[in-house]
Every structure is written in structure tokens, then in C-alpha cells.
């Protein structure tokens, strides 16, 4: 008999993508190999997201689809992890009779024990306690873990201390804890040793990082000094902590890339206030202006919520106005979705569904127009690209990577270069978001 196998299906944000990697690492230490398909796995986990109703519902449809595998393999275990696990805990066992384990967002490290307990007792196990924040333990990277990539995530903080009116994240990720600076640096050094070229720092309000007097700007300076790491990204910054020192650090440090994902949510001050976002449209715009002045090549992406219950036509127009002014390279726009536990869950929502969809459509159309115009300005430019993938899409011989501004760039011929190299590329054409270029 060979090793046991694990398969994890991931929903949600980059934090979840990273948690999946860490669960994979932890279970590897227990002898579980990765399985590309659920069909021959012994343990299938759904790492879930509850930020909107849509992703939450996927848990049930996915598990339903996988259920027949359980009938074929009596040993197979099903688990739900991540934000829906944290949100619903035991309730999930009632809803899904064939579920074996539920592991919350703070309990990833206990996954092996939970699996053992399920096997010993033959009964489902739920582990959704939050850790005590004063002695919070982040999952540390195992140097023997098999790296296969040039770009990796580094958690610098967990949880969120904000209470945006619409958002479930603080309730499913707990309160904010900044990770010790020495652990962050050690992890990045280990990654560098293993050939990682680019890191993305993760946190719900990543720039509110503070550990024993080290703030986000100082952390960026320290990371910039690590040999081997060529590129630093981070997500998601919050305007309240986008101070001048932070903006200056981003502009000055050559390893910090010229891209920020900067969630706006709404362009209307009335809506922002109701959302409890703690910034005004003016502050957001002044920060963007400051950064663009220092970094004319800066690319900016954002998140926007459309159809917030108090959003009027005029409020929505404000959002469109700010989009035109900033000229976002891309935006991720979502229809407002009421979430349990949040402050406005029960708030009257007078906007007809049709109206909301129309606004979303209008916003997406505007974004596409802006994105095309932004792309066209890059044609003919020279971009620095980290080559990460081979055989992307339909063209087996094509290579692809990301520019400093985080654009996907396709390259047909990389000559003597190999995956993991950083090359200079001349952009020859572009689609809405991606570019095509030739190495120079
Ligand atoms: N911490 C990040 C956002 C994390 S959630 C920040 O503060 O910017 C990711 C995105 O999901 C948010 O930016 C928001 O646009 C969207 N979102 C969160 N709650 C939502 C809800 N109830 N309905 C619709 N979109 C939501
Ligand atoms: Fe949610 Fe607001 Fe925290 Fe972002 S800052 S995770 S939107 S509560
Ligand atoms: Fe979703 Fe949890 Fe991320 S709710 S957006 S997976 S923090």
C-alpha cells in the first residue's frame, strides 16, 4: 500500500489559498501525498469562504457532487475547513450527514489530530476554537516542504479589528494578531534559499501590521534587504494605515512592486460612512495622487461593492466618477450580499434586484473600457517579467509570468531563459488585462 492521499478544494481569497498550502504541508508531514483529483483521495477537504452567500452555498453543492466517492471508498474522509467551518461549526454536521470533520480558521495545525480522532472513534469531530491571541501560534514553514514555485505567500498578520458593516471576515477570522517580525524574516529567508523570487505579504488590513514597534513600512525595509527575494507584493492595504512612510517605502524600495490592490468599496462618502470604512473618498484620492506622483507607472486594482442597501443612484454615480478619475487597471465588483453576524444583516434593503444588477453591469462595462485604455498605453513599453508558467492555456509552448505591475504577460519564446528567471520584455499586443511580449 502506498501513502494516503489528500485533495483540497479551495474557495475564497489568497489567505485561503495559502491556508490550503499550509494544510497540504502539515498533512505531508503525516504521510499524506497530494492528489490532483478527488477520485483517488483518502481525505477530501473543502477550504471554504463565507464572504458572500454564493461561495458559501458552493460547500453544499460541491459535497453533494463528491458524495458518490464515499460510497465507493468507505475509508474516505470528508472535511470542511476555512471560513464556513468557522462560521457554522457543529451546524454543518447536522446539515451534511456524511461529513467527518470541521476545522476552523485558527485550528489548521490540529488537522492531523482531528483526522486521528475521527479514525479512532469513527465519529465526526469539530474543532473551531479561536486561539488565545496573547499566545497565538502561526503555522511555521517546514524547510523540507517541497517548493515548486517562484512566488509564494507570507502571512504577516491574522484576523481583522475593523467592523465594516457588511463584512463577516472579523467573525470568522477573529481579532487581529501581528506575527513576530523575526519569524516573518526567517520564513522569507528560507523561501529565498529554496528559489522563491517573489513573495506576497498577507493580511486583511496588511498595513496595520505592528510588532514591538516595527510597523508595516519598517517591515518592508527589512524584507527588501533579504538576498534572493527580488519582488515584494502585499494584500490588502487599508486607507487608514496608508501613511506617508508606507507610501514612501513602496515608492523607494526597488523590490516592492508597482502594483497595489487597494479596495475602495464605494466612491460615495455617505456609503463609506455607513459601511464604517473609516476613510473618505477624498483621502483615498489624495493617497492615490501622492503615489502616482512618485510612481507614474503604478498599477492599481480595487474591490467594489455594488447595491449596498443605502446606495442611491447619486452614490453609485460617485463610484463611477472615482473609477474614471483613478483609472483602475482592474476591479473586482460584487453585488452586496447580507451576511449573518454583521451589523447590517437585518437592514432594510429597498433597492430592487434588477436595479442592482443594472448598476453592476454598468460598472463592469466602464471598468472594461478603462482596462482596455490602460492596456493600450502599455503596448510598446518594456516590462520586467518573472517567468512562472509553461504551456498556459491552449498554446503548449507558450510561457507566462507577471509584470511588476502584476499584469499577466505571455511570451512565445524564452530562448536560453528558464522558469524563475526575470526578463525584460517588449510588449507587442494586449487584451483587456493580459499582455503579450517578446524578450529583448
Ligand atoms: N480586508 C479587505 C477585504 C476582504 S473581503 C479590505 O478591507 O479591503 C474581500 C472583498 O469582498 C471586499 O473587499 C469586499 O469588496 C467584498 N465583500 C465583503 N463582504 C461583502 C458582502 N457582504 N457583500 C458583497 N461583497 C463583500
Ligand atoms: Fe472585512 Fe472591513 Fe476587515 Fe476588510 S477591513 S476584512 S472589509 S471588516
Ligand atoms: Fe472568504 Fe474567509 Fe477570505 S470569508 S474572503 S476566505 S477570509
Amino acid at each position: 500500500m502506498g501513502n494516503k492521499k489528500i485533495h483540497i478544494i479551495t474557495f475564497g481569497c489568497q489567505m485561503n489559498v495559502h491556508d490550503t498550502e499550509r494544510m497540504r504541508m502539515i498533512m505531508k508531514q503525516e504521510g499524506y501525498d497530494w492528489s490532483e483529483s478527488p477520485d483517488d483521495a483518502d481525505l477530501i477537504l473543502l477550504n471554504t469562504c463565507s464572504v458572500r452567500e454564493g461561495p458559501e452555498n458552493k460547500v453544499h453543492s460541491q459535497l453533494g457532487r463528491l458524495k458518490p466517492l464515499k460510497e465507493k471508498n468507505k475509508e474516505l474522509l470528508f472535511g470542511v475547513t476555512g471560513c464556513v467551518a468557522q462560521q457554522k461549526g457543529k451546524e454543518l454536521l447536522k446539515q451534511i450527514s456524511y461529513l467527518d470533520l470541521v476545522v476552523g480558521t485558527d485550528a489548521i495545525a490540529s488537522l492531523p489530530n482531528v483526522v486521528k480522532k475521527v479514525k479512532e472513534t469513527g465519529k465526526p469531530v469539530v474543532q473551531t476554537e479561536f486561539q488565545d491571541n496573547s499566545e497565538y501560534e502561526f503555522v511555521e514553514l517546514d524547510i523540507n516542504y517541497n517548493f515548486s514555485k517562484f512566488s509564494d505567500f507570507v502571512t504577516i498578520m491574522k484576523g481583522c479589528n475593523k467592523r465594516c458593516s457588511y463584512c463577516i471576515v472579523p467573525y470568522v477570522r477573529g481579532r487581529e494578531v501581528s506575527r513576530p517580525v523575526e519569524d516573518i524574516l526567517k520564513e522569507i529567508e528560507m523561501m529565498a534559499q529554496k528559489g522563491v523570487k517573489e513573495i506576497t505579504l498577507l493580511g486583511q488590513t496588511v498595513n496595520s501590521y505592528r510588532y514591538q514597534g516595527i510597523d508595516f513600512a519598517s517591515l518592508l525595509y527589512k524584507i527588501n534587504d533579504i538576498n534572493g527575494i527580488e519582488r515584494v507584493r502585499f494584500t490588502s492595504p487599508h486607507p487608514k494605515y496608508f501613511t506617508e512612510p508606507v507610501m514612501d517605502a513602496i515608492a523607494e524600495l526597488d523590490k516592492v512592486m508597482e502594483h497595489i490592490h487597494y479596495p475602495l468599496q464605494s466612491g460615495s462618502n455617505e456609503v463609506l460612512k455607513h459601511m464604517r470604512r473609516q476613510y473618505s473618498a477624498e483621502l483615498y484620492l489624495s493617497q492615490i495622487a501622492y503615489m502616482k506622483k512618485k510612481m507614474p507607472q503604478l498599477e492599481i486594482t480595487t474591490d467594489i461593492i455594488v447595491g449596498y442597501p443605502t446606495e442611491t443612484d447619486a452614490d453609485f454615480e460617485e463610484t463611477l466618477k472615482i473609477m474614471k478619475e483613478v483609472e483602475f487597471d482592474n476591479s473586482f465588483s460584487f453585488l452586496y450580499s447580507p451576511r449573518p453576524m454583521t451589523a447590517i444583516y437585518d437592514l432594510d434593503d429597498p433597492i430592487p434586484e434588477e436595479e442592482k444588477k443594472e448598476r453592476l453591469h454598468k460598472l463592469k462595462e466602464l471598468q472594461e473600457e478603462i482596462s482596455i485604455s490602460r492596456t493600450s498605453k502599455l503596448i510598446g513599453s518594456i516590462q520586467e517579467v518573472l517567468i512562472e508558467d509553461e504551456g498556459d492555456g491552449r498554446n503548449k509552448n507558450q510561457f507566462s509570468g507577471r509584470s511588476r505591475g502584476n499584469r499577466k504577460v505571455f511570451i512565445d519564446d524564452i530562448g536560453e531563459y528558464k522558469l524563475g528567471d526575470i526578463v525584460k520584455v517588449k510588449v507587442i499586443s494586449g487584451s483587456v488585462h493580459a499582455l503579450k511580449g517578446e524578450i529583448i
Side-chain angles (χ1 to χ4, degrees), residues 51-52 166-167 169 204 236 238 263 265 277 303-305 334-337 339:
V51 83
R52 285 172 295 277
Y166 51 84
C167 181
V169 171
Q204 287 299 346
S236 297
H238 188 285
Q265 313 302 359
R277 285 292 288 178
D303 290 346
I304 285 170
I305 297 177
F334 314 98
L335 280 183
Y336 165 70
S337 168
R339 303 314 292 138

Side-chain angles (χ1 to χ4, degrees), residues 48-173:
T48 58
C49 173
S50 45
V51 83
R52 285 172 295 277
E53 202 184 349
E56 186 194 315
N57 287 342
K58 282 192 196 149
V59 178
H60 299 275
S61 57
Q62 279 279 352
L63 276 173
R65 210 172 50 84
L66 295 168
K67 197 179 166 198
L69 293 175
K70 266 253 205 255
E71 279 141 29
K72 272 196 269 169
N73 177 2
K74 296 277 174 250
E75 303 277 292
L76 173 62
L77 298 182
F78 275 170
V80 173
T81 62
C83 297
V84 178
Q86 190 64 45
Q87 178 197 346
K88 300 215 161 154
K90 280 197 292 245
E91 200 189 318
L92 279 173
L93 294 184
K94 281 190 219 140
Q95 291 172 346
I96 308 161
S97 60
Y98 48 93
L99 192 59
D100 301 293
L101 52 108
V102 178
V103 171
T105 51
D106 257 9
I108 285 179
S110 63
L111 190 59
N113 280 339
V114 170
V115 170
K116 248 177 243 155
K117 216 157 135 195
V118 173
K119 286 187 179 166
E120 274 164 24
T121 61
K123 291 202 180 104
V125 175
V126 178
Q127 170 77 54
T128 52
E129 298 273 292
F130 276 123
Q131 289 187 41
D132 177 353
N133 279 1
S134 62
E135 41 200 70
Y136 192 87
E137 286 188 33
F138 288 85
V139 178
E140 298 297 333
L141 175 66
D142 172 359
I143 185 93
N144 299 314
Y145 184 58
N146 189 24
F147 288 77
S148 54
K149 356 174 236 192
F150 305 103
S151 182
D152 211 341
F153 295 116
V154 178
T155 301
I156 68 162
M157 54 141 41
K158 82 113 205 170
C160 179
N161 281 358
K162 297 267 160 285
R163 290 290 177 274
C164 300
S165 63
Y166 51 84
C167 181
I168 197 174
V169 171
Y171 307 97
V172 290
R173 289 274 171 177

Side-chain angles (χ1 to χ4, degrees), residues 315-414:
D315 291 321
F316 179 64
E317 288 302 321
E318 292 290 312
T319 301
L320 298 181
K321 200 171 124 211
I322 220 173
M323 286 180 70
K324 285 183 204 149
E325 182 163 348
V326 176
E327 289 194 277
F328 293 111
D329 289 272
N330 197 5
S331 59
F332 302 90
S333 42
F334 314 98
L335 280 183
Y336 165 70
S337 168
R339 303 314 292 138
M341 296 185 270
T342 61
I344 60 160
Y345 182 50
D346 289 322
L347 189 72
D348 258 4
D349 187 351
I351 316 168
E353 199 59 24
E354 276 312 300
E355 172 67 33
K356 291 191 181 212
K357 286 190 179 147
E358 219 166 276
R359 285 183 197 168
L360 185 67
H361 182 70
K362 217 165 158 186
L363 188 145
K364 284 188 188 290
E365 264 184 356
L366 173 64
Q367 182 57 58
E368 184 160 330
E369 229 174 81
I370 299 172
S371 295
I372 291 171
S373 139
R374 293 280 301 165
T375 299
S376 69
K377 289 185 187 141
L378 294 173
I379 293 169
S381 70
I382 309 292
Q383 299 288 328
E384 182 202 278
V385 177
L386 167 63
I387 315 173
E388 283 181 89
D389 292 307
E390 192 175 2
D392 223 272
R394 273 158 289 178
N395 188 344
K396 285 268 173 294
N397 298 318
Q398 202 171 43
F399 292 82
S400 68
R402 297 243 162 211
S403 70
R404 292 178 68 95
N406 209 31
R407 293 275 183 147
K408 183 117 180 160
V409 183
F410 292 97
I411 309 166
D412 277 340
D413 179 8
I414 60 168

